[in-house]
Amino acid sequence: MGATGSGKSSLVGLIPRLYEQSSGMIRIDGRDSADIDISRLRRSIGYVPQEVLLFTGSVRDNIAWGNEHATAEEIERAAAAAQIHDTVMGLPQGYDTMIGQRGVNLSGGQKQRLTIARALVRKPAILILDDSTSALDAVTEGLLLDELTSMSCTTVLITQKISSTVSADLILLLDEGRLIAKGTHRELLADSPLYRKIYESQTGEGAQHVQSIT
């Protein structure tokens, strides 16, 4: 978590080696990521950037872009986990429904869930969601996060929403490129004035999901 420009995307961009760090080391399973073949590394990562990228084609093709060898069952399973399957089944041709460039005929939340499904169909060891639930309502987001907890992958979630962080194993709070606090939701509520301020400012947003966990 952190304000715009605090360095969240820059930090997680080091994991798939979108650029190299100038100092320090990124370890994956205890191994320096610089020693891992970059193609192999990136194949193990499902990455959903802030800007949604969809192309003209079917819903199925857009999801399968994450794994061109995925079966129809795997595509539908990924869509269900991303909370978009029911929506797709309500479209005129289901998974064969054509969508326009950049998903012009879809809502913001639908676009985000499709790109999350694309990442999930890769069956990644590491899942990176860069502000990828911002357009989701609290209930849908809660269902998605519940699904992610059951998956055998490490999930790194960049968010501005407390409702996305309450069940996290570890929260990093950034400010102007620096780590200013870390801990669980409960620990930061007790120890971090900034985190507590963010929480208090959002108690009316997604409060139901927050309270169900706290």
Side-chain angles (χ1 to χ4, degrees):
M1 289 194 74
T4 300
S6 61
K8 303 183 298 296
S9 296
S10 297
L11 179 63
V12 301
L14 294 171
I15 300 173
R17 292 173 59 189
L18 300 182
Y19 38 81
E20 305 291 347
Q21 71 272 17
S22 57
S23 62
M25 183 186 297
I26 306 297
R27 292 188 178 91
I28 297 178
D29 289 334
R31 183 180 177 188
D32 186 347
S33 64
D35 295 334
I36 303 173
D37 176 77
I38 194 166
S39 296
R40 179 185 173 194
L41 173 66
R42 290 177 176 174
R43 282 196 301 270
S44 70
I45 296 174
Y47 178 58
V48 184
Q50 292 184 51
E51 185 174 353
V52 172
L53 177 59
L54 295 172
F55 55 83
T56 301
S58 69
V59 171
R60 186 186 313 279
D61 289 343
N62 269 274
I63 295 176
W65 195 31
N67 177 5
E68 61 183 12
H69 302 297
T71 65
E73 181 181 357
E74 289 172 331
I75 289 171
E76 292 184 17
R77 191 181 304 131
Q83 308 303 309
I84 193 65
H85 174 72
D86 290 344
T87 299
V88 173
M89 294 306 293
L91 297 174
Q93 283 82 44
Y95 282 85
D96 294 319
T97 300
M98 300 295 289
I99 60 178
Q101 184 72 20
R102 302 178 67 87
V104 293
N105 49 337
L106 300 175
S107 70
Q110 291 168 344
K111 294 177 187 178
Q112 287 187 335
R113 284 177 284 160
L114 275 180
T115 54
I116 292 171
R118 176 191 293 161
L120 294 180
V121 82
R122 295 173 67 85
K123 299 179 181 178
I126 301 172
L127 176 65
I128 300 174
L129 303 179
D130 189 349
D131 203 21
S132 304
T133 65
S134 59
L136 305 188
D137 62 75
V139 173
T140 302
E141 180 190 45
L143 292 171
L144 170 63
L145 295 177
D146 288 344
E147 284 286 343
L148 295 182
T149 60
S150 68
M151 296 182 178
S152 57
C153 66
T154 297
T155 301
V156 180
L157 177 65
I158 295 177
T159 184
Q160 299 279 8
K161 299 193 293 185
I162 290 290
S163 58
S164 300
T165 67
V166 290
S167 60
D169 300 304
L170 177 67
I171 303 166
L172 305 180
L173 186 59
L174 304 184
D175 185 44
E176 296 184 353
R178 299 180 61 190
L179 176 66
I180 62 172
K182 65 179 180 178
T184 65
H185 172 69
R186 292 179 184 276
E187 290 169 344
L188 291 183
L189 275 181
D191 301 332
S192 171
L194 176 57
Y195 187 85
R196 190 160 54 246
K197 180 179 179 181
I198 296 171
Y199 173 80
E200 291 171 352
S201 72
Q202 295 184 19
T203 52
E205 301 175 19
Q208 182 178 357
H209 184 57
V210 171
Q211 294 303 324
S212 70
I213 296 177
T214 58

